[in-house]
Amino acid sequence: MFQAHRETRRQVRRLRLLATGAMVSVALPTIAAAQEASGAAGSELAEIVVTAQKREQRLQDVGLTVSAFGGETLARETVNSVADLARLVPGLDVTPNPSGTPVYTLRGVGFFENSLSSAPDVALYLDQAPLALPAFSALTAFDLERAEVLKGPQGTLFGTNATGGAINLIAAKPTSEFRAGLEATYGRFNTARLGGFVSGPIADTLNGRVAVKFNRADDWQRSYTRDDTLGKTDDVAGRLLLDWRPADAVRVALNLNGWLNRSDPQAAQLARRTTPEDLQAPIGSTGFGGTVTAGLPLLALPAAPRDARTANWDPDYRPFRDDRFYQATLSLNYDLSEAVTLTSLTGYASLRQRKASSYSGTDLPAFDQVANDADAHDFSQEVRLASTDTAARLRWLVGGNYQRTFSYENIDAIYPEASTGTRDGFSANSFDSRQVFKQWAAFASFEYDITDQLKVKAGIRYSDSSRTAANRAYDTPGFVEPNPNSPGLTNFFNIVIPAVYVPIFCPGFTFTPVVHGESISIDPETCVSGTYRETLKEDNLPWSLGLDFKPMDGLLLYANVSRGFKGGAFPLANAASQEQYFPVPQEKLTAFEGGFKSNLAGGKVVLNGAAFYYDYANKQTRGKTVDPLFGALEQLVSIPESRTYGAELDLTAAPMRGLTLRASATYLDAKIEAFDGAVGTTSVGGLLFPVRASYDGVRLPFAPKFAASASIDYEFPVSDDVEGFVGGSFRAQTKSYGSPQLAPQEQADATIKGYGLLNLRAGLQASDGRWKASMWGLNVTDTHYWTNSLRAFDTIVRYTGRPAEYGVTLEYNF
């Protein structure tokens, strides 16, 4: 064990040295270039324009920490999804939850929750229209003009659920002259991507753009116990943009986009052999279904080999997906005067989800979601007034918005080979959640130039919201228990609850038997079963205050303090007691940040940095509760106090013509300061009760202490008409955790080991941009890494990153 621990420490040191070395190799020539005269050979870096403040500004003029990437950079780095942005932005972590929905964490601020209805801590927007639920963002990152990642609370302009930050996707816009392009890719696993766009004038005052993308690939996962594969890719996305200018003062934009996704959900990898201590029902425990013995088949299964491709799933309930999404956004800008513009933004989005997932990492039905159906709809309306005179000393924006989000999710779960399925006499059940979220808000922001060098900024927003939930658990329709002597879920409750539960928790109450098909979830105060119904009403007041100081050209110093909120949440849970449905209150995060932005060497070097401190209250996360009958179960918990501090550095340089160097690094220390959580169970009179302990000092999930990325790209002439290019990028991070844990074994099970990924690219392109041919490789060292590690009922599973991939891409622009 000592040797293994020492080797792990060595690997972490190597990882840090490798990441640091990559950064130093980029920084040294850049610093040298910065020291040269501004007339030295090289290329001035192109300015990036962002809309972080809901108006166009130069990135280097925005006193916030913003990572922004243009369409060319996104294509060069093979960014095909929002999740791929994590390769470019240290501090941004994207991991799928067991249902396959992406979870976004920024600087340690995120919300890992399985339900579709869970609102994020990092808000997502497409052309300023909200993607209210993370599932909406699955296939929206195509044909983009740029992507922006805003770090820190963004509540004043982007509302509740932007505590960690915001991700803005800006679609490529219609052009006033005809343009068209095609892109074709072929790669490993028979990956075939075909995309294209057509853009140009439709009438004198109307321009349009149509973009589509098709993506197909064979299975990339393989079973290590039988001849079977999984992991196909099968999706298509499309977008129609119309820009209409009926008058000089009026601009109307329509964005219609949608996607179909029939790709297989990823199967989990069994992280280690299951031990008797892992079982929810201990060996020797007896119930209506029988006795749990040491011969439980789950205990005999080997862990998956250390290979990104190996996994397992139940062949009788093969994972599948059939999801459909569409969104419509109408934007109207009307210039009331030369200095004031009225903006109206109306959006509607709809998702239909049909899928099944295998959770246990085994080929046994130890915990399978054989059906996971969901529907969600979101309507939003924003109206705002803004000053447009950029030369004015005072610039302002005021507005209001309304949002309504509906979601319904149903899961059919089976677990005949789980320990509790063996013991309890039921091995399947269904559970669902119907939620409606409504919110209205009013907001304002201001900038005032105290002097030509000093600017003060302020923003405020008032939000009033309600979230209504109707949750239940019930018998799975049509399911037949494999053991004919098993009573099934409803009969189990009708026998056990009045005999054991009611006398202790509800003495004097008369138990009303549960009717088949109705909810078995018990109200802990009355011992009456039924659907849990509750409304959570909240309001909050995000605000921000800051100073920008420009002591000289090419240097911006800024200091900000802000407060953001994430709304309270109800979980989707497989709940015996309605206590598991109880909501958690809204989060509150107060952030202090100071930073600088600089342009050096005549615009050939951009060096930005920031340091920050977060006071984080009521962080929402998945934790444990202890049910008197079933022991440790999942529940949403609220961590009263946490804190995060860290620093970031971002450098881009063009020290010589054709050469571009980039390096970014983030240091993060994110820990719990006050939280008593369940760490075990104790038996009293045959019922189970929690054992609690302090989690003070435990690190927050998905928050590696150090993360860095570096890239180098070089373009060179081959002939008068042809250029060559080569490049590569490297991303590294130290270990993190999938959940807060105290016990050594549970910490080990939750560990996401540190890793480094290397991508390479090379090719030829026309000097006029007409065509481009490239070869590329992702994770070329075939590093085995994982993005999440968690408990799946009786087993410990991991979700691995994809193995090495490589291919060729051809592009042609008309």
Side-chain angles (χ1 to χ4, degrees):
M1 181 177 294
F2 174 76
Q3 284 293 114
H5 179 65
R6 186 166 61 182
E7 180 61 26
T8 300
R9 290 168 60 189
R10 286 175 181 160
Q11 291 175 355
V12 170
R13 284 198 295 269
R14 292 191 198 109
L15 175 63
R16 288 173 175 164
L17 286 173
L18 185 58
T20 304
M23 292 186 62
V24 170
S25 68
V26 173
L28 286 178
T30 300
I31 293 171
Q35 293 172 343
E36 295 177 1
S38 61
S43 301
E44 185 173 344
L45 292 167
E47 291 185 354
I48 298 178
V49 176
V50 297
T51 52
Q53 302 297 302
K54 294 198 173 182
R55 59 187 175 88
E56 291 190 347
Q57 295 174 278
R58 291 176 60 251
L59 175 61
Q60 291 300 96
D61 291 337
V62 179
L64 293 171
T65 305
V66 181
S67 297
F69 308 94
E72 290 186 5
T73 300
L74 298 174
R76 183 169 57 246
E77 296 284 354
T78 324
V79 173
N80 295 309
S81 67
V82 181
D84 291 338
L85 287 174
R87 298 203 305 259
L88 308 180
V89 185
L92 173 63
D93 183 280
V94 184
T95 185
N97 67 22
S99 296
T101 300
V103 177
Y104 302 97
T105 303
L106 198 50
R107 291 178 171 174
V109 182
F111 181 41
F112 187 85
E113 161 62 1
N114 294 339
S115 59
L116 174 80
S117 62
S118 61
D121 269 299
V122 180
L124 287 101
Y125 284 79
L126 175 62
D127 284 350
Q128 299 191 38
L131 296 165
L133 303 177
F136 289 0
S137 67
L139 298 174
T140 55
F142 71 99
D143 194 42
L144 296 180
E145 177 182 307
R146 67 180 181 277
E148 305 169 359
V149 179
L150 288 61
K151 301 180 180 181
Q154 304 296 323
T156 55
L157 289 179
F158 294 95
T160 303
N161 308 328
T163 340
I167 298 175
N168 291 336
L169 305 178
I170 293 85
K173 296 299 182 286
T175 54
S176 56
E177 59 275 336
F178 176 80
R179 292 182 185 175
L182 287 174
E183 178 184 308
T185 293
Y186 181 78
R188 191 183 183 191
F189 308 118
N190 286 322
T191 296
R193 297 193 192 102
L194 180 63
F197 73 93
V198 177
S199 178
I202 300 173
D204 289 342
T205 59
L206 180 65
N207 297 329
R209 186 183 184 100
V210 176
V212 294
K213 184 176 182 180
F214 301 88
N215 196 9
R216 302 287 187 275
D218 293 342
D219 296 340
W220 68 277
Q221 292 189 290
R222 57 193 177 201
S223 168
Y224 60 96
T225 61
R226 64 186 188 281
D227 184 15
D228 196 4
T229 59
L230 183 77
K232 73 173 182 181
T233 300
D234 183 3
D235 61 61
V236 59
R239 182 178 297 128
L240 168 65
L241 297 177
L242 296 175
D243 281 358
W244 181 41
R245 299 205 171 189
D248 290 342
V250 180
R251 300 173 297 283
V252 181
L254 177 66
N255 183 330
L256 302 176
N257 69 92
W259 47 259
L260 305 175
N261 188 3
R262 296 189 176 93
S263 303
D264 290 338
Q266 183 177 351
Q269 188 178 76
L270 186 63
R272 60 171 175 80
R273 184 185 288 270
T274 304
T275 67
E277 290 74 21
D278 294 324
L279 301 180
Q280 296 289 304
I283 291 176
S285 57
T286 300
F288 294 109
T291 300
V292 181
T293 70
L296 187 71
L298 201 60
L299 297 173
L301 298 179
R306 296 182 64 83
D307 182 327
R309 297 187 62 187
T310 57
N312 235 329
W313 55 94
D314 186 348
D316 294 328
Y317 298 98
R318 186 179 177 86
F320 74 90
R321 184 199 314 267
D322 185 3
D323 298 348
R324 302 179 183 182
F325 171 80
Y326 65 86
Q327 182 186 37
T329 304
L330 182 65
S331 173
L332 169 65
N333 286 278
Y334 178 58
D335 295 333
L336 299 177
S337 69
E338 293 183 356
V340 179
T341 296
L342 170 68
T343 298
S344 171
L345 189 67
T346 307
Y348 179 79
S350 177
L351 173 70
R352 191 215 70 177
Q353 173 183 289
R354 303 290 183 267
K355 65 180 179 182
S357 304
S358 184
Y359 273 36
S360 69
T362 74
D363 54 6
L364 298 174
F367 194 78
D368 289 342
Q369 290 189 359
V370 298
N372 182 356
D373 298 345
D375 293 279
H377 314 282
D378 176 73
F379 170 80
S380 62
Q381 174 64 57
E382 179 169 303
V383 178
R384 61 180 186 259
L385 284 170
S387 62
T388 56
D389 184 358
T390 57
R393 193 169 288 275
L394 173 66
R395 296 168 298 281
W396 53 268
L397 181 151
V398 295
N401 66 16
Y402 171 80
Q403 185 172 4
R404 182 185 188 275
T405 307
F406 165 85
S407 66
Y408 171 76
E409 186 171 10
N410 172 81
I411 293 176
D412 296 338
I414 66 165
Y415 36 90
E417 294 293 345
S419 59
T420 58
T422 301
R423 178 194 66 184
D424 292 336
F426 64 90
S427 57
N429 72 281
S430 297
F431 50 105
D432 62 21
S433 178
R434 186 184 303 271
Q435 299 193 28
V436 178
F437 172 76
K438 297 178 182 179
Q439 178 179 262
W440 67 267
F443 56 90
S445 68
F446 306 88
E447 292 182 353
Y448 182 72
D449 296 333
I450 299 174
T451 69
D452 292 340
Q453 295 176 303
L454 184 63
K455 175 174 65 179
V456 63
K457 308 168 295 183
I460 194 167
R461 184 187 194 98
Y462 176 76
S463 298
D464 185 280
S465 67
S466 69
R467 182 178 290 273
T468 300
N471 295 356
R472 58 183 185 144
Y474 52 97
D475 267 316
T476 299
F479 180 81
V480 178
E481 291 289 344
N483 182 350
N485 297 320
S486 296
L489 177 70
T490 300
N491 289 336
F492 173 89
F493 269 72
N494 283 337
I495 295 170
V496 173
I497 296 300
V500 179
Y501 198 94
V502 173
I504 295 178
F505 295 99
C506 308
F509 280 73
T510 300
F511 177 72
T512 302
V514 183
V515 177
H516 280 276
E518 295 186 0
S519 178
I520 54 87
S521 302
I522 298 294
D523 185 327
E525 295 185 357
T526 65
C527 292
V528 174
S529 63
T531 299
Y532 171 82
R533 302 179 188 277
E534 189 59 78
T535 297
L536 179 65
K537 294 186 177 182
E538 297 174 318
D539 61 358
N540 54 62
L541 193 70
W543 50 265
S544 64
L545 184 65
L547 286 173
D548 289 357
F549 178 54
K550 287 188 174 183
M552 64 182 72
D553 289 342
L555 178 62
L556 169 66
L557 306 177
Y558 62 89
N560 300 317
V561 57
S562 59
R563 176 168 292 172
F565 294 84
K566 180 198 176 302
F570 292 94
L572 171 69
N574 196 355
S577 168
Q578 291 183 7
E579 185 177 356
Q580 285 180 260
Y581 295 136
F582 288 176
V584 288
Q586 62 186 349
E587 296 179 350
K588 181 178 70 174
L589 189 148
T590 306
F592 303 86
E593 181 165 354
F596 68 91
K597 293 186 175 184
S598 62
N599 292 68
L600 308 172
K604 300 179 184 65
V605 178
V606 171
L607 180 63
N608 300 335
F612 54 89
Y613 178 86
Y614 291 171
D615 183 358
Y616 198 0
N618 296 327
K619 175 179 172 54
Q620 303 166 2
T621 188
R622 278 268 170 173
K624 294 179 183 177
T625 185
V626 174
D627 183 87
L629 296 176
F630 302 104
L633 297 174
E634 282 193 338
Q635 183 183 37
L636 276 184
V637 298
S638 181
I639 298 175
E641 295 180 26
S642 305
R643 64 103 182 104
T644 296
Y645 64 83
E648 298 180 342
L649 196 65
D650 193 316
L651 183 149
T652 304
M656 58 180 286
R657 191 175 305 279
L659 179 64
T660 304
L661 306 170
R662 292 183 176 86
S664 300
T666 295
Y667 171 79
L668 189 64
D669 192 301
K671 291 181 179 178
I672 295 170
E673 288 196 319
F675 174 57
D676 290 335
V679 295
T681 61
T682 183
S683 178
V684 178
L687 295 178
L688 299 173
F689 295 89
V691 175
R692 297 187 177 277
S694 171
Y695 278 69
D696 297 4
V698 173
R699 286 168 57 181
L700 292 178
F702 307 111
K705 183 164 286 189
F706 180 78
S709 66
S711 70
I712 179 170
D713 286 283
Y714 181 55
E715 296 181 359
F716 53 91
V718 175
S719 68
D720 291 341
D721 301 322
V722 178
E723 296 176 346
F725 61 89
V726 294
S729 57
F730 181 76
R731 183 190 188 278
Q733 68 174 54
T734 54
K735 72 176 180 181
S736 60
Y737 298 91
S739 58
Q741 300 294 343
L742 276 181
Q745 183 59 59
E746 291 184 334
Q747 278 193 352
D749 291 339
T751 297
I752 303 168
K753 71 171 185 176
Y755 59 88
L757 302 177
L758 177 64
N759 302 331
L760 298 175
R761 48 192 173 265
L764 299 172
Q765 61 188 4
S767 301
D768 62 2
R770 177 77 62 172
W771 57 266
K772 184 177 183 180
S774 59
M775 300 182 297
W776 50 266
L778 303 176
N779 187 14
V780 296
T781 57
D782 203 22
T783 298
H784 174 229
Y785 71 103
W786 52 91
T787 59
N788 199 3
S789 185
L790 71 161
R791 170 174 289 279
F793 210 61
D794 285 328
T795 59
I796 305 300
V797 301
R798 294 169 178 161
Y799 289 85
T800 64
R802 290 179 70 99
E805 295 182 82
Y806 38 81
V808 295
T809 298
L810 302 176
E811 302 174 45
Y812 190 83
N813 294 309
F814 298 90

